[in-house]
Amino acid sequence: MGSSFGTVFKLTTWGESHGPALGVVIEGCPAGIPLAVEDIQYELDRRRVGQSKVTSPRDEKDRAEMLSGVFEGVTTGAPISLITYNKDADSTKYENLRHVFRPGHGDYTYQMKYGHRDHRGGGRSSARETWGRVAAGAIARKILAAAGARVYGFTREIGGIEMETFDECEIERNLVRCPDPVAAGKMVDAIDRIKEEKNSLGGVVEARAVGIPVGLGEPTFDKLDALIGQAMLSIPATKGVEIGRGFAQSRLTGRESNDPFEIRNGRVRTTSNNAGGSLAGLSTGEEIIVRVGIKPTSSIEQDQSTITSDLEPATVKVVGRHDPCVVPRAVPVVEAMLANVLADLYLRNRASRIDWPDQE
Amino acid sequence: MGSSFGTVFKLTTWGESHGPALGVVIEGCPAGIPLAVEDIQYELDRRRVGQSKVTSPRDEKDRAEMLSGVFEGVTTGAPISLITYNKDADSTKYENLRHVFRPGHGDYTYQMKYGHRDHRGGGRSSARETWGRVAAGAIARKILAAAGARVYGFTREIGGIEMETFDECEIERNLVRCPDPVAAGKMVDAIDRIKEEKNSLGGVVEARAVGIPVGLGEPTFDKLDALIGQAMLSIPATKGVEIGRGFAQSRLTGRESNDPFEIRNGRVRTTSNNAGGSLAGLSTGEEIIVRVGIKPTSSIEQDQSTITSDLEPATVKVVGRHDPCVVPRAVPVVEAMLANVLADLYLRNRASRIDWPDQE
Amino acid sequence: MGSSFGTVFKLTTWGESHGPALGVVIEGCPAGIPLAVEDIQYELDRRRVGQSKVTSPRDEKDRAEMLSGVFEGVTTGAPISLITYNKDADSTKYENLRHVFRPGHGDYTYQMKYGHRDHRGGGRSSARETWGRVAAGAIARKILAAAGARVYGFTREIGGIEMETFDECEIERNLVRCPDPVAAGKMVDAIDRIKEEKNSLGGVVEARAVGIPVGLGEPTFDKLDALIGQAMLSIPATKGVEIGRGFAQSRLTGRESNDPFEIRNGRVRTTSNNAGGSLAGLSTGEEIIVRVGIKPTSSIEQDQSTITSDLEPATVKVVGRHDPCVVPRAVPVVEAMLANVLADLYLRNRASRIDWPDQE
Amino acid sequence: MGSSFGTVFKLTTWGESHGPALGVVIEGCPAGIPLAVEDIQYELDRRRVGQSKVTSPRDEKDRAEMLSGVFEGVTTGAPISLITYNKDADSTKYENLRHVFRPGHGDYTYQMKYGHRDHRGGGRSSARETWGRVAAGAIARKILAAAGARVYGFTREIGGIEMETFDECEIERNLVRCPDPVAAGKMVDAIDRIKEEKNSLGGVVEARAVGIPVGLGEPTFDKLDALIGQAMLSIPATKGVEIGRGFAQSRLTGRESNDPFEIRNGRVRTTSNNAGGSLAGLSTGEEIIVRVGIKPTSSIEQDQSTITSDLEPATVKVVGRHDPCVVPRAVPVVEAMLANVLADLYLRNRASRIDWPDQE
């Protein structure tokens, strides 16, 4: 009862990690947008595992099929259904996890909520569900492109190592998607070390949106910030989200915090952007800046104390090809969710004003 | 088009800072709950301005009227309408702000979105809208009480001064609602100083929920964390939210981060609570822990650079009785929104399982 | 949990027949519409009881207060709250109905659903709740007016007496709002007779919308027909709804039923309008035609067999000033709900297409 | 933006008549229900074309695949995705319809709304979309079965020939699903004749629900009647819906119309059931009775006047294997939508009351 996100541009994901298939239905995509399955596959490939040595070597064969909503290469306004089959997923290796609750995972909470769960690879709680979010995000990006806007993202921090320089061109040039090549090198080393220790690392992803029109956001509960909060904290393994300066802004004074308005190049701008592109929950036209804290991968190949579903003490070691650090792969997911929020608010915003006919 | 929050327990707020009245309609409150307007007024009084020297001296006379949904002292299942009239609000003093955009406020973004706005005291974007959230939260608390759960909150940090000790009993004993009386003293001093400088401070509020049943949260977009994210970032002046260890968890290893399960006093527990009471977006039964970053008050009585609605450069000084620090007053709002999320998820959770009749 | 209607233009009603007040919150009304409380009061007065000898002589004093969402005479995009206080409602006369279930009313079903109910005048199930629907409808009409569309309605049938001629100008000239003055006379006589017999009559209301743009309706569940179905069957005492020829169309052949397209006066038209202005759930640009069956008033001052809340057999006679026929008063309610549906679909339709930028 | 139906038990359909596949995602099905794809296929086969000489001879091979939400034969609470591939659909025969608007179909309205449409077999507006509704209905029936309730339906009238006797056992024994075998014979003859004339017939379907608990329905807009109204009028080719006596009840007096309460076999019952199992929008525990008017098939192999998309006059003859009367095939669709409404309200109803703990 919570598998949908969005009001006008609405996505509904379905599927389990080791079920026959998984997918997403996107409602509310306007008619008239050129859309090919390759547009979507491009983003899916950025999310896919097995991209590099720092991520899982498993090949999920995330090939998308587009089954509806597009006719002769253009969207029709009907729901767009995207699906990928889970080929070759070997679930026998999860048999030993059937009756044991892995720490840091949803095994225990799902068992308690539903009384019955698909234990294979996390089932519904698996990060594999983000496939559909990224697929929808590719369509959201198309909608935003029509408005002249785009979204991008990068790794800001891994294992406590923070980027110090920013060059957007560097992002996709290194394994960890960090805009600072020096920091990227340190991050890769840190991941290599933690992998040997059969442990894992977390980090911080940042996403930004450029060219967003002023006024996106629906007061008071569907403010831009609020929907970003929901979107980001619905991604597996996330534990925090910030807009603009975020928590650091709490330590400024009002004088330092307020972004003064000015006219720059003929447009209304702010001289600083502490607010991260949002005032009173509406976009300001400045760059939207979001940071998301990702916890370290819960699956580690070490003995951990836990209990069984019969409430007996047990030890569990999670064997398998898990990412020692999911942060680089989380980048396209965070971007996609930001795009999904913005596309929805962009379409919703069309209803915010009416031109009242002159009273002659 | 975003004035409602919640799916089963749903609140809809309405009203502007300087309009005739404001209020909230609460749908989906179950029948059978004893409810008096005093239960609600108690929480409203905690939110009210003019409670102390560190908050605004204005008396908003936030008296609630309860106009529906309760019959002979017990809820009927019908929507509950709560209203408060804005008495004596002097809006003439806002006349000079009619054509100028205050930095840090929604003046510019509202003007651009709607083309027409109520400039008096922020209109719809005013924090006065939180009246309805707190009123609804008082009812949400009643629902949670039936499940044996409760919510509380406190100030964790103001102006960079962080609490170092925790005594729940201290919270309501000091002006800033800080559970560390020593830190509280420093915070009060800092607010006094900043007030003299006609500047303002921000801070961090923490809210916790105790006794929450296991399994609240609706995967995958209405996870407990996700709805907390939306709820908190819909509160005015918030710029960040964390669950459990939050961003700090991003700097741990998986080994350190995972909370091991154990049986303690006959119940399933975790030995630590880094996760802040939520795994895979469902409540674990441990204490739910949320932190919210609040930016410093945007209204400061200093000259600030800005522009007018005619796009001319201007200087604005925001005169009025504004809180130099809203953090202490944000505590009941953060608590209320956490209660609203939890009450909604508690009621939604009732639909998650079915007892299938035996097949004899 | 069902007190709201609409997706973009959304109304939420609250209040009980004999509570302190009742009202409606309208979300999603675009900014920029001139709106005065008199615009709303005009429609409310058409719905009010005590308008004539054929309706109840009670004076409900349905005076609306507009508490938010309008600034200096123009809508701001914020929710519009409308309220009316229930003055002088004497509920002591309902005391004898506290423990008995009136046939044809919701007393039994509400008691079973909620375990606790406001028995005074039907409480939440009273037709008095339609006050808010009519108030919202007045605003919906404004939105439609901006699109050049309008809604009107009339009594088609009372007590089996059907209109035979149609003159729109006659509608508001007679007590029963019938466009056929001869039939109107017979209807009034029939109501007079049934009133003497302490019995009641039902009838059929028709509403039409003129000037509606082509393409309103959201396939496949929020089709124009589907939302009209929900809207009409949510009105108290309704038991049937038809679009266009309705059930009579079931008895035609395909040849007779299909409306051929033609170009007339330079516009695409159909030569007939069996479909009632809707094809495949989208408006065709032809007149939208809806008929609603209203059952006879359930409250009759005759002894009727029933049971008490202790499940004992009993006899109940419903004494009070009840309309012997609510059909004339239902006309503005049916109109309002049609306007509410159309305004919502009009605003939602704005998101159905996008202009893709040229690819030069 | 209208492809979903339901609040807790929510279905989202996708797919076009001649696209690669179509399907449905069902959210909110509780965990713990035994469910096999055969349970669903059974209902789908009842809906399928080519069942008899009175329906279309095309074999749609409506084989369902169940791709998620069920683990080891039992629902998990996760969304259930059902899909069927459109095999062998020959769309070349629709090429001549690319630029012409068929009377009675959605060609014109879709073209105007979206500017771009899949013209093959009606695309999204095809009745083929009801596949997903019937599939979801099979799951809804399971939920209702757990409450001891069931839904069934039948043909009440075709081409003006109405049933005169009722024997539930006869329904599935004749080609038209009529509980009166004599009327069934006449209906089959009428369909045979109209088929020879290359014309078509409509009719009336009735569905009933037995064993429904008292109190289902969510006042005031999601009343049982209101959601039935939406559900039924969202089915292609429907133009009217009635609950209980429906429009005929408008011609009764209040005395005749009201159903008296009594205690019968130890249960609260009404002596008659004019209301069709619903009072004030909540189920009474009596049989729920719904009738739906179906217009004659719009596709007829006769020359009809119309226009092209270039707004030129034209003649169109719709060649193909179309049902001369869809009423028998509409029976399982109407049943399914009634089941979908009731399952949703059944789950929503769980939130309507709370047991307040004793205050000892």
Side-chain angles (χ1 to χ4, degrees), chain D residues 190-221:
Chain D
I191 296 172
D192 281 344
R193 273 195 310 276
I194 210 80
K195 191 178 176 182
E196 278 172 36
E197 295 169 15
K198 298 180 187 300
N199 204 340
S200 63
L201 292 179
V204 177
V205 169
E206 182 164 317
R208 299 184 182 178
V210 189
I212 298 299
V214 184
L216 303 196
E218 296 296 326
T220 58
F221 294 104

Short mmCIF file of all heavy atoms in Angstrom, two decimals, chain D residues 190-221:
data_model
loop_
_atom_site.label_atom_id
_atom_site.label_comp_id
_atom_site.label_asym_id
_atom_site.label_seq_id
_atom_site.Cartn_x
_atom_site.Cartn_y
_atom_site.Cartn_z
N ALA D 190 -31.95 -13.18 -30.68
CA ALA D 190 -31.85 -11.77 -31.03
C ALA D 190 -30.42 -11.41 -31.44
O ALA D 190 -30.20 -10.65 -32.39
CB ALA D 190 -32.29 -10.90 -29.85
N ILE D 191 -29.46 -11.97 -30.75
CA ILE D 191 -28.06 -11.70 -31.10
C ILE D 191 -27.73 -12.29 -32.47
O ILE D 191 -27.06 -11.66 -33.29
CB ILE D 191 -27.11 -12.24 -30.01
CG1 ILE D 191 -27.34 -11.48 -28.69
CG2 ILE D 191 -25.65 -12.11 -30.44
CD1 ILE D 191 -26.59 -12.06 -27.50
N ASP D 192 -28.22 -13.51 -32.70
CA ASP D 192 -27.99 -14.13 -34.02
C ASP D 192 -28.53 -13.23 -35.13
O ASP D 192 -27.87 -13.00 -36.15
CB ASP D 192 -28.67 -15.50 -34.09
CG ASP D 192 -27.85 -16.58 -33.38
OD1 ASP D 192 -26.65 -16.33 -33.12
OD2 ASP D 192 -28.41 -17.65 -33.07
N ARG D 193 -29.74 -12.74 -34.93
CA ARG D 193 -30.36 -11.90 -35.96
C ARG D 193 -29.57 -10.62 -36.19
O ARG D 193 -29.30 -10.21 -37.32
CB ARG D 193 -31.79 -11.54 -35.55
CG ARG D 193 -32.83 -12.57 -35.98
CD ARG D 193 -34.24 -11.99 -35.87
NE ARG D 193 -34.51 -11.37 -34.58
CZ ARG D 193 -34.92 -12.03 -33.48
NH1 ARG D 193 -35.11 -13.34 -33.52
NH2 ARG D 193 -35.15 -11.40 -32.37
N ILE D 194 -29.20 -9.96 -35.08
CA ILE D 194 -28.52 -8.66 -35.22
C ILE D 194 -27.14 -8.84 -35.86
O ILE D 194 -26.66 -7.95 -36.58
CB ILE D 194 -28.40 -7.95 -33.84
CG1 ILE D 194 -28.41 -6.43 -34.03
CG2 ILE D 194 -27.16 -8.36 -33.09
CD1 ILE D 194 -29.76 -5.83 -34.23
N LYS D 195 -26.55 -9.99 -35.64
CA LYS D 195 -25.24 -10.29 -36.22
C LYS D 195 -25.37 -10.38 -37.75
O LYS D 195 -24.52 -9.85 -38.49
CB LYS D 195 -24.74 -11.61 -35.66
CG LYS D 195 -23.29 -11.93 -35.97
CD LYS D 195 -22.90 -13.24 -35.31
CE LYS D 195 -21.49 -13.66 -35.68
NZ LYS D 195 -21.17 -14.97 -35.06
N GLU D 196 -26.42 -11.04 -38.18
CA GLU D 196 -26.66 -11.12 -39.63
C GLU D 196 -26.86 -9.73 -40.23
O GLU D 196 -26.44 -9.48 -41.35
CB GLU D 196 -27.88 -11.98 -39.93
CG GLU D 196 -27.56 -13.47 -39.91
CD GLU D 196 -28.81 -14.32 -40.02
OE1 GLU D 196 -29.75 -13.89 -40.75
OE2 GLU D 196 -28.88 -15.37 -39.37
N GLU D 197 -27.48 -8.88 -39.47
CA GLU D 197 -27.73 -7.51 -39.95
C GLU D 197 -26.49 -6.62 -39.81
O GLU D 197 -26.57 -5.42 -40.08
CB GLU D 197 -28.88 -6.86 -39.14
CG GLU D 197 -30.22 -7.55 -39.33
CD GLU D 197 -31.25 -7.06 -38.31
OE1 GLU D 197 -31.01 -6.01 -37.67
OE2 GLU D 197 -32.27 -7.74 -38.13
N LYS D 198 -25.40 -7.20 -39.40
CA LYS D 198 -24.16 -6.43 -39.15
C LYS D 198 -24.45 -5.23 -38.25
O LYS D 198 -23.94 -4.13 -38.44
CB LYS D 198 -23.54 -5.97 -40.47
CG LYS D 198 -23.12 -7.14 -41.37
CD LYS D 198 -22.51 -6.66 -42.66
CE LYS D 198 -22.26 -7.81 -43.62
NZ LYS D 198 -21.35 -8.86 -43.10
N ASN D 199 -25.25 -5.47 -37.26
CA ASN D 199 -25.60 -4.45 -36.29
C ASN D 199 -25.25 -5.02 -34.90
O ASN D 199 -24.58 -6.06 -34.81
CB ASN D 199 -27.10 -4.11 -36.42
CG ASN D 199 -27.43 -2.71 -35.91
OD1 ASN D 199 -26.69 -2.11 -35.15
ND2 ASN D 199 -28.57 -2.19 -36.35
N SER D 200 -25.64 -4.37 -33.84
CA SER D 200 -25.25 -4.86 -32.50
C SER D 200 -26.32 -4.53 -31.47
O SER D 200 -27.19 -3.69 -31.71
CB SER D 200 -23.92 -4.21 -32.10
OG SER D 200 -24.06 -2.81 -31.99
N LEU D 201 -26.21 -5.18 -30.31
CA LEU D 201 -27.18 -4.97 -29.23
C LEU D 201 -26.47 -4.65 -27.92
O LEU D 201 -25.33 -5.06 -27.70
CB LEU D 201 -28.03 -6.24 -29.02
CG LEU D 201 -28.99 -6.63 -30.14
CD1 LEU D 201 -29.72 -7.94 -29.77
CD2 LEU D 201 -30.04 -5.52 -30.36
N GLY D 202 -27.21 -3.97 -27.04
CA GLY D 202 -26.74 -3.72 -25.69
C GLY D 202 -27.58 -4.47 -24.67
O GLY D 202 -28.36 -5.36 -25.05
N GLY D 203 -27.47 -4.10 -23.41
CA GLY D 203 -28.26 -4.79 -22.40
C GLY D 203 -27.93 -4.32 -20.99
O GLY D 203 -27.30 -3.27 -20.81
N VAL D 204 -28.36 -5.09 -20.03
CA VAL D 204 -28.17 -4.72 -18.62
C VAL D 204 -27.57 -5.91 -17.87
O VAL D 204 -28.07 -7.04 -17.97
CB VAL D 204 -29.51 -4.32 -17.98
CG1 VAL D 204 -29.32 -4.00 -16.49
CG2 VAL D 204 -30.12 -3.12 -18.70
N VAL D 205 -26.50 -5.64 -17.15
CA VAL D 205 -25.86 -6.65 -16.30
C VAL D 205 -26.22 -6.37 -14.85
O VAL D 205 -26.29 -5.21 -14.45
CB VAL D 205 -24.33 -6.62 -16.49
CG1 VAL D 205 -23.62 -7.46 -15.44
CG2 VAL D 205 -23.95 -7.08 -17.89
N GLU D 206 -26.45 -7.41 -14.10
CA GLU D 206 -26.67 -7.24 -12.66
C GLU D 206 -25.60 -8.01 -11.90
O GLU D 206 -25.22 -9.12 -12.28
CB GLU D 206 -28.07 -7.73 -12.26
CG GLU D 206 -28.38 -7.53 -10.79
CD GLU D 206 -29.88 -7.64 -10.47
OE1 GLU D 206 -30.71 -7.09 -11.23
OE2 GLU D 206 -30.21 -8.28 -9.46
N ALA D 207 -25.08 -7.40 -10.83
CA ALA D 207 -24.14 -8.11 -9.97
C ALA D 207 -24.62 -8.00 -8.54
O ALA D 207 -25.25 -7.00 -8.15
CB ALA D 207 -22.72 -7.54 -10.10
N ARG D 208 -24.35 -9.03 -7.79
CA ARG D 208 -24.77 -9.05 -6.38
C ARG D 208 -23.63 -9.53 -5.49
O ARG D 208 -22.78 -10.30 -5.93
CB ARG D 208 -25.97 -9.99 -6.21
CG ARG D 208 -27.18 -9.58 -7.02
CD ARG D 208 -28.35 -10.49 -6.73
NE ARG D 208 -29.51 -10.13 -7.54
CZ ARG D 208 -30.67 -10.78 -7.52
NH1 ARG D 208 -30.82 -11.83 -6.72
NH2 ARG D 208 -31.67 -10.39 -8.27
N ALA D 209 -23.67 -9.08 -4.26
CA ALA D 209 -22.69 -9.54 -3.28
C ALA D 209 -23.44 -10.05 -2.06
O ALA D 209 -24.34 -9.36 -1.54
CB ALA D 209 -21.74 -8.43 -2.90
N VAL D 210 -23.08 -11.24 -1.62
CA VAL D 210 -23.75 -11.90 -0.50
C VAL D 210 -22.76 -12.07 0.64
O VAL D 210 -21.60 -12.40 0.41
CB VAL D 210 -24.25 -13.30 -0.95
CG1 VAL D 210 -25.14 -13.93 0.11
CG2 VAL D 210 -24.96 -13.22 -2.28
N GLY D 211 -23.24 -11.85 1.85
CA GLY D 211 -22.38 -12.10 3.02
C GLY D 211 -21.47 -10.94 3.38
O GLY D 211 -20.54 -11.10 4.18
N ILE D 212 -21.75 -9.79 2.81
CA ILE D 212 -20.92 -8.60 3.09
C ILE D 212 -21.20 -8.09 4.51
O ILE D 212 -22.35 -7.91 4.89
CB ILE D 212 -21.26 -7.50 2.06
CG1 ILE D 212 -20.93 -7.96 0.64
CG2 ILE D 212 -20.54 -6.19 2.38
CD1 ILE D 212 -19.48 -8.30 0.40
N PRO D 213 -20.16 -7.86 5.30
CA PRO D 213 -20.36 -7.34 6.66
C PRO D 213 -21.06 -5.98 6.65
O PRO D 213 -20.96 -5.24 5.67
CB PRO D 213 -18.94 -7.20 7.21
CG PRO D 213 -18.06 -7.99 6.30
CD PRO D 213 -18.74 -8.05 4.97
N VAL D 214 -21.71 -5.66 7.73
CA VAL D 214 -22.37 -4.36 7.88
C VAL D 214 -21.32 -3.26 8.03
O VAL D 214 -20.31 -3.45 8.70
CB VAL D 214 -23.29 -4.34 9.13
CG1 VAL D 214 -24.05 -3.02 9.22
CG2 VAL D 214 -24.27 -5.51 9.08
N GLY D 215 -21.54 -2.13 7.38
CA GLY D 215 -20.73 -0.95 7.64
C GLY D 215 -19.64 -0.66 6.63
O GLY D 215 -18.86 0.27 6.83
N LEU D 216 -19.57 -1.40 5.53
CA LEU D 216 -18.55 -1.07 4.52
C LEU D 216 -18.99 0.17 3.73
O LEU D 216 -20.14 0.26 3.29
CB LEU D 216 -18.31 -2.25 3.58
CG LEU D 216 -17.90 -3.57 4.21
CD1 LEU D 216 -17.31 -4.50 3.14
CD2 LEU D 216 -16.90 -3.38 5.33
N GLY D 217 -18.05 1.06 3.52
CA GLY D 217 -18.33 2.35 2.88
C GLY D 217 -17.68 3.44 3.71
O GLY D 217 -17.61 3.31 4.93
N GLU D 218 -17.16 4.46 3.05
CA GLU D 218 -16.45 5.53 3.77
C GLU D 218 -17.11 6.86 3.46
O GLU D 218 -16.89 7.44 2.40
CB GLU D 218 -14.97 5.55 3.37
CG GLU D 218 -14.20 4.29 3.74
CD GLU D 218 -14.10 4.03 5.24
OE1 GLU D 218 -14.01 4.99 6.01
OE2 GLU D 218 -14.14 2.85 5.63
N PRO D 219 -17.97 7.33 4.37
CA PRO D 219 -18.63 8.62 4.13
C PRO D 219 -17.59 9.73 3.99
O PRO D 219 -16.56 9.68 4.65
CB PRO D 219 -19.46 8.84 5.39
CG PRO D 219 -19.55 7.49 6.04
CD PRO D 219 -18.31 6.76 5.65
N THR D 220 -17.93 10.76 3.20
CA THR D 220 -19.16 10.91 2.49
C THR D 220 -18.97 10.75 0.98
O THR D 220 -19.94 10.61 0.26
CB THR D 220 -19.76 12.31 2.75
OG1 THR D 220 -18.77 13.29 2.34
CG2 THR D 220 -20.10 12.55 4.19
N PHE D 221 -17.72 10.73 0.51
CA PHE D 221 -17.52 10.64 -0.93
C PHE D 221 -17.15 9.23 -1.37
O PHE D 221 -17.27 8.90 -2.54
CB PHE D 221 -16.46 11.64 -1.40
CG PHE D 221 -16.89 13.06 -1.24
CD1 PHE D 221 -16.41 13.86 -0.22
CD2 PHE D 221 -17.84 13.60 -2.09
CE1 PHE D 221 -16.84 15.17 -0.05
CE2 PHE D 221 -18.27 14.91 -1.94
CZ PHE D 221 -17.77 15.70 -0.92
#
